[in-house]
Amino acid sequence: MSAGEKEYLFRLYLVDAPETDEMTPRRLIEQAKYFSITVPQAIEVGRAAKDFTQEKLSQPFTVFTHMSDAMGQSRLERFYAFVETKEGDLGEQLVRNGLARSYGFKTAPPGLTSSRIEVEKLQQFEDEAKREKIGAWGVNAGRLNAHSQMPSAFSSFVADGKTRSRSARADSSAVFAPVAKPAESITRSSPVEATGSHAKEKIPLGNIDINTATEKELTTVPGIGHVMAARIIAARPFRSADDLKKVSGIGDKKYAQTRPYFQ
């Protein structure tokens, strides 16, 4: 995907969809074994997951990432991320529809302090897809493209560039909201910083703890929106609020504007 003039490749945290070709045979064999299907069937599932993803990303979506290296065996630079569509977390949707498994690099998703809850949720979704025989679990029954009819228990963070209600904090270092088309490449788009429509609350100077403040508290500081708050949270812990200068997007001017509000 693209943000401004820079392109990014992302790999989803916590989930793994089958390969779409035979370029990594050992991995493909392991994936086929997991779903109890043949290698050609695993490739078919991988391509179905790709089509599913392109469909979901045909509407505005948001990426939450620490920019952690996810190259693996690939020579292309890519990073781990969570992707939120207007229907919810993309990884959860893939697993719930039997097009991916709960597997891979773990980290706490936005709004949580541990990956455990998300792993348990993904396992539940995987069990449901397996029981309903959909996606990879239903290949031998001709149900590869049968999707879950149950409403998803997902919550959206950002859609169409507008912040939706969410009580938990966003644990991310960068947020993009490009619009993708169902094609091989993703449409270029500018970065979108989701800033709430509510007016900034007046807060006393020097009253905010940089290491414990919630996203809501951080966004009461003039000059700090939801994206910048997410970056600050992701960069914790700080030795002191003076380290705000190390946060991406906080230059001398913004630092001078925001520093007085922190302890």
Side-chain angles (χ1 to χ4, degrees), residues 19 46 57 75 86 107 115 185 198 202-203 258:
E19 303 298 307
L57 300 189
R75 295 182 180 179
K86 68 178 185 177
T107 193
S115 64
S185 60
H198 62 281
K202 294 192 180 219
I203 55 172
T258 59

Side-chain angles (χ1 to χ4, degrees), residues 62 64 156-168 170 175 177 192-198 215 219 225-227:
T62 304
F64 293 84
S156 296
F157 301 142
V158 179
D160 298 315
K162 297 179 181 178
T163 303
R164 305 304 184 192
S165 60
R166 184 179 177 86
S167 58
V175 180
V192 174
E193 175 162 330
T195 55
S197 59
H198 62 281
E215 180 188 8
T219 57
H226 290 274
V227 170

Side-chain angles (χ1 to χ4, degrees), residues 4-5 17 28 42 59 75 81 103-104 116 125 147 149 153 169 199 206 218-219 244 248 261 263:
E5 297 181 354
L28 192 56
Q59 298 295 321
R75 295 182 180 179
Y103 178 93
R116 181 181 59 81
F125 286 164
H147 292 166
Q149 298 302 310
R169 64 182 176 85
L218 289 171
T219 57
L244 274 170
S248 175
Y261 290 86
Q263 298 174 4

Side-chain angles (χ1 to χ4, degrees), residues 40 84 91-92 107 156 243 247:
E84 283 285 327
E92 292 179 354
T107 193
S156 296
D243 286 343
V247 177

